[in-house]
Amino acid sequence: MKKLFFLFAALCIVAMDASAGGTKTDYRNALIFAYSQANSVYEDENIKLEIYNEQLWATNKTKKTIFIDLAQCFAFHNGASAPLFDSGSKKQGDKKASKKGVSTKDDEYISIAPSIGSEQNETFIVQMSTRIYGKYTTTESPSNDFTDYDKRLLTVVEELVSESLEADPKEKEYKGTAVRHMTEDESINNIGASIAYSFNKKSEEWTNVSLSTWVSDVIFAPFYIEMPQDLKKKDKKGFGIKETSPAVVHVRANSPFEFDEDRSPIIVCDWEGNYKKGTFELSPTRIAKKKGNFLGRFLGGFFTFGATWFVPLSETTYKQIIHFDGAATDWGKLSYASDIMKTGQED
């Protein structure tokens, strides 16, 4: 009789949960670096440099073409520098490049168009987040250095994840939001660049300018991705304007400061950690969908002698914006997602 009673009670609870419905949110954890806005911009009478959306951009304020000599430019990360142009590999971020000391006649420049009209588009210079992503341990960082910034980062992460864990009654998942505000001396990450520019490639005198910004606020919080609705064939008919909405990165935290969503000095890193091993990994929240049908691709291989099986599928990469929903917002039932593309909300 008791067994029947407990079975009946369990069925009632399940039925109540089903009737209650509610929102189910598949989330992941983010480690968010919010950089000092005041120090993310440099400006003189000729050029404006600005770090936003993880990149360095330049704007020409004059009526003449500006040239940036990459051989004289460097990117900074946590006190270390790397040349923007390496004569051997021609790629930024190669740590060994600064040790080669190789000169070359094949100089490389970035030209920035003169300012014409009321609007002037920015010119991309370099990706600034490259060395942030990767695997961290208690003795190593992705850049193969272990600076004071990295040591402070590990200390802060220890505090943030412990605080986040307290929000889960079972203390198994990081469901809580934890925040730290810091000064420049306390900061856990610093990025910047030194740029040499002139109005003539053959100039013997180049103007050297630099900017450097640091993380003023760090946030550890749940986040999920709200994917945009793709336009269907019937929606594409005609010649009216049909814009695809950006993907929205929803963060369960309060915004550290007001910012332009198109020029954000904030980096949202997808965070995965293993407390027992003392490791965590930071990855970009890049939103992309593969194009193509798997079944059609598989069948097509029989007619192309398997050639189509080895051709990479094309991708649609979505613009994304950051939305801070608030630390106290109710997202409903939280369930950890195995992959960023599996995050979202369901009613």
Side-chain angles (χ1 to χ4, degrees):
M1 190 68 179
K2 288 183 177 180
K3 291 182 178 180
L4 290 174
F5 174 79
F6 286 121
L7 178 60
F8 178 76
L11 290 172
C12 288
I13 293 173
V14 172
M16 289 174 65
D17 287 343
S19 62
T23 302
K24 176 179 175 293
T25 302
D26 292 321
Y27 80 100
R28 287 179 69 81
N29 290 112
L31 187 65
I32 301 166
F33 295 155
Y35 291 87
S36 168
Q37 293 190 100
N39 294 277
S40 296
V41 181
Y42 167 85
E43 193 168 4
D44 62 22
E45 66 275 11
N46 300 320
I47 195 171
K48 179 181 180 181
L49 301 175
E50 188 171 4
I51 297 174
Y52 63 85
N53 294 346
E54 307 185 27
Q55 300 165 333
L56 174 63
W57 301 82
T59 303
N60 189 346
K61 298 171 62 177
T62 74
K63 300 299 181 182
K64 299 181 291 184
T65 301
I66 285 179
F67 298 96
I68 292 178
D69 182 7
L70 294 183
Q72 301 185 58
C73 297
F74 299 85
F76 305 132
H77 178 249
N78 289 354
S81 63
L84 296 198
F85 175 69
D86 169 24
S87 60
S89 62
K90 292 191 177 182
K91 65 179 181 180
Q92 183 272 336
D94 185 352
K95 186 181 177 184
K96 296 180 181 178
S98 60
K99 298 179 180 179
K100 291 180 180 177
V102 178
S103 61
T104 175
K105 294 181 180 179
D106 300 324
D107 295 329
E108 190 166 305
Y109 303 89
I110 294 177
S111 57
I112 308 177
S115 175
I116 301 175
S118 58
E119 294 186 5
Q120 176 75 355
N121 291 333
E122 298 88 351
T123 298
F124 168 75
I125 304 299
V126 68
Q127 187 77 20
M128 298 298 298
S129 59
T130 306
R131 294 193 173 196
I132 294 173
Y133 297 123
K135 190 174 183 178
Y136 292 78
T137 73
T138 53
T139 58
E140 291 182 304
S141 69
S143 61
N144 296 321
D145 291 323
F146 200 61
T147 66
D148 287 339
Y149 288 98
D150 297 310
K151 295 174 184 177
R152 290 194 291 267
L153 172 61
L154 287 172
T155 300
V156 170
V157 166
E158 172 82 13
E159 296 173 358
L160 295 178
V161 298
S162 298
E163 188 175 323
S164 176
L165 199 62
E166 294 173 359
D168 180 17
K170 298 180 180 179
E171 293 192 351
K172 290 184 177 181
E173 294 185 355
Y174 304 109
K175 294 183 176 181
T177 298
V179 182
R180 294 290 184 276
H181 179 75
M182 49 195 61
T183 65
E184 183 178 4
D185 293 334
E186 300 167 335
S187 187
I188 58 175
N189 191 267
N190 180 292
I191 55 176
S194 175
I195 301 297
Y197 76 87
S198 176
F199 296 104
N200 187 336
K201 283 186 181 181
K202 304 299 183 182
S203 175
E204 294 183 359
E205 295 183 3
W206 292 77
T207 301
N208 290 280
V209 297
S210 62
L211 75 166
S212 178
T213 185
W214 68 89
V215 171
S216 60
D217 296 87
V218 60
I219 303 171
F220 185 81
F223 81 100
Y224 74 89
I225 304 296
E226 179 187 351
M227 294 295 294
Q229 293 292 327
D230 290 327
L231 294 174
K232 299 179 180 178
K233 287 184 179 180
K234 64 177 182 178
D235 299 324
K236 296 179 181 179
K237 292 181 180 179
F239 300 101
I241 297 174
K242 302 172 180 68
E243 292 183 297
T244 301
S245 302
V248 182
V249 180
H250 287 271
V251 181
R252 201 165 86 163
N254 298 323
S255 176
F257 42 68
E258 292 185 6
F259 61 92
D260 184 340
E261 64 183 24
D262 290 323
R263 308 169 73 90
S264 169
I266 296 174
I267 299 178
V268 179
C269 304
D270 179 41
W271 184 92
E272 284 188 276
N274 189 320
Y275 188 82
K276 291 182 178 179
K277 293 183 178 180
T279 64
F280 65 89
E281 188 166 354
L282 300 181
S283 305
T285 54
R286 179 174 174 271
I287 312 302
K289 276 186 178 179
K290 297 285 186 181
K291 288 183 179 179
N293 181 278
F294 175 78
L295 180 59
R297 179 188 178 91
F298 179 76
L299 295 175
F302 289 102
F303 299 97
T304 60
F305 301 100
T308 59
W309 297 340
F310 302 98
V311 178
L313 289 172
S314 59
E315 282 187 342
T316 298
T317 303
Y318 296 91
K319 175 187 175 183
Q320 62 187 62
I321 59 174
I322 304 169
H323 190 273
F324 288 91
D325 291 355
T329 189
D330 183 9
W331 277 359
K333 183 180 178 182
L334 293 180
S335 299
Y336 190 77
S338 59
D339 185 84
I340 284 183
M341 296 305 295
K342 295 180 181 178
T343 65
Q345 279 191 347
E346 295 180 4
D347 293 326

